[in-house]
Amino acid sequence: MSSTTTQVTEHGGGVWSIKVPIPDNPLGHTLVHLLDTDRGPVLIDTGWDDPTSYDTLVAGLADCGVAVGELHGVVVTHHHPDHHGLSGKVREASGAWIAMHPADAHVVRRTREQRPERWIDYLTDKLTTAGAPDDHLAPLLAARESGTLRTLPGLDAALPDRDITPGELLDLAGRRLRAIWTPGHTPGHICLHLEEDHPAGKPGRGRLFSGDHLLPGITPHIGLYEDPDDTTVTDPLGDYLDSLERVGRLGVAEVLPAHQYAFTDAPARVRELLDHHEERLRGLRALLATPLTPWQLAVRMEWNRPWEQIPYGSRNIAVSEAEAHLRRLVKLGHAEAVPGGEPVAYRAVA
């Protein structure tokens, strides 16, 4: 049932969602969930760090009968700013603790400590290696030379107070909320399994707060785990696909995602996403019949708009996604680097 305002939905059993706007973003809003506990209300994610977003969150809480100062804790599904952005303000207003998976807490800590110049150097080198053309590299080179660099996104993100241990119940009095580690979208992304009977009697094993891992109508971005100081060859897409299968086996009655809307039949949605990525990998193998750099592959991949209409920053994200798919193909033995080339191109393996 919905409240008199459009931003709050009551899901029953002491669970509500609040639509917190994301400024200038086609996603529109983050669904911040409120969970009642015996020690006080707890938020799952907080929304983007923006005055309008914060005012919407506070108003939404009021519609649920909660003042922001009454919040007991904040559980963060992952470190992205549309989920973790307002956590610091919420803690300042309430004294609430903030909990996050250690892998994403590491990202927050590293970002706060990272000099912008270091990040620009890393991104420039990465895009050069991926085969980005000179006109794409030029703004980065100019920013590095001028010394007038903007601060990094997430530079002021709040450091968490608590670690979330995968597989364990969170310390929430009167509730059974279990952390499920679901890396892929970020290295420390978690879903949260509310192991309680569905309040409307829907069949299945409780409800799942799925963050960005499992969404009803869109697929989350899966790119490389970016860390300028880590040379580990990760496989984010493989992590994501494994995590999807793990979530599908939970058999939950309902999914409460961080975007779009609540839905049922999680196994069917998991199968759709697995099939989507299998088909996409098959299509990329066909493209790699001719050797391509990661940049060239990104240009040829299907996106939600033509490449010419993709903004500058989003092209960087697209290249990262292309590289994640290449990593997966190489790991499966379906693609290989062409020796001797600079930048490195990849080709399909029959």
Side-chain angles (χ1 to χ4, degrees):
M1 114 183 138
S2 296
S3 75
T4 54
T5 61
T6 57
Q7 75 260 26
V8 174
T9 300
E10 184 177 0
H11 296 280
V15 176
W16 297 259
S17 61
I18 303 168
K19 290 183 178 180
V20 177
I22 311 171
D24 302 318
N25 189 295
L27 278 175
H29 59 264
T30 302
L31 290 173
V32 172
H33 289 92
L34 176 68
L35 178 67
D36 194 21
T37 83
D38 289 349
R39 291 200 192 102
V42 169
L43 286 183
I44 298 174
D45 293 333
T46 56
W48 192 277
D49 185 4
D50 175 82
T52 299
S53 302
Y54 182 72
D55 290 346
T56 303
L57 174 63
V58 171
L61 288 170
D63 286 341
C64 301
V66 174
V68 66
E70 297 175 304
L71 291 171
H72 173 59
V74 174
V75 182
V76 182
T77 61
H78 61 295
H79 71 82
H80 287 166
D82 55 324
H83 297 258
H84 181 44
L86 284 171
S87 299
K89 283 187 172 58
V90 168
R91 180 165 60 189
E92 289 172 10
S94 63
W97 47 260
I98 301 172
M100 185 184 289
H101 187 282
D104 272 21
H106 169 73
V107 175
V108 172
R109 192 171 296 108
R110 186 196 72 222
T111 304
R112 288 171 61 98
E113 296 169 354
Q114 191 74 68
R115 291 182 302 105
E117 294 86 356
R118 177 73 178 92
W119 180 257
I120 291 289
D121 289 344
Y122 167 76
L123 186 57
T124 302
D125 292 344
K126 178 176 173 294
L127 287 167
T128 300
T129 302
D134 290 344
D135 61 344
H136 187 84
L137 296 172
L140 290 170
L141 295 172
R144 184 166 61 183
E145 290 301 318
S146 69
T148 56
L149 301 174
R150 293 181 298 175
T151 57
L152 294 174
L155 190 63
D156 298 321
L159 288 171
D161 311 287
R162 301 184 180 185
D163 285 341
I164 292 174
T165 303
E168 293 190 0
L169 290 171
L170 276 72
D171 182 20
L172 301 180
R175 309 306 299 244
R176 289 186 57 85
L177 189 68
R178 192 176 303 276
I180 311 295
W181 185 32
T182 51
H185 184 55
T186 71
H189 190 291
I190 58 157
C191 293
L192 297 154
H193 187 193
L194 189 60
E195 299 177 340
E196 302 169 11
D197 291 340
H198 192 283
K202 292 181 180 179
R205 297 183 57 234
R207 291 179 281 181
L208 186 75
F209 299 99
S210 65
D212 280 2
H213 183 69
L214 189 61
L215 303 169
I218 54 179
T219 58
H221 163 69
I222 309 296
L224 298 186
Y225 300 146
E226 307 286 9
D227 188 340
D229 300 316
D230 189 354
T231 58
T232 305
V233 179
T234 57
D235 179 19
L237 182 55
D239 291 345
Y240 177 68
L241 298 176
D242 290 346
S243 300
L244 272 180
E245 293 186 343
R246 191 180 314 128
V247 163
R249 290 192 293 267
L250 292 175
V252 298
E254 187 176 26
V255 179
L256 302 175
H259 302 288
Q260 298 191 299
Y261 48 85
F263 63 100
T264 57
D265 203 350
R269 181 57 182 151
V270 165
R271 175 47 53 193
E272 287 177 358
L273 288 166
L274 292 172
D275 289 347
H276 163 77
H277 283 285
E278 183 178 346
E279 181 179 349
R280 197 175 200 197
L281 288 169
R282 190 164 49 244
L284 297 186
R285 286 182 71 188
L287 288 175
L288 292 172
T290 301
L292 298 171
T293 65
W295 180 276
Q296 291 169 332
L297 183 63
V299 170
R300 290 162 175 77
M301 289 170 69
E302 289 190 16
W303 305 104
N304 60 1
R305 68 192 98 174
W307 183 260
E308 296 74 21
Q309 297 177 18
I310 296 177
Y312 182 90
S314 298
R315 290 188 180 190
N316 296 338
I317 295 172
V319 173
S320 181
E321 189 156 328
E323 290 181 299
H325 282 75
L326 281 170
R327 289 259 182 104
R328 187 66 187 154
L329 287 171
V330 169
K331 186 170 184 178
L332 293 171
H334 296 326
E336 64 183 7
V338 178
E342 185 63 40
V344 177
Y346 293 81
R347 64 190 174 198
V349 175

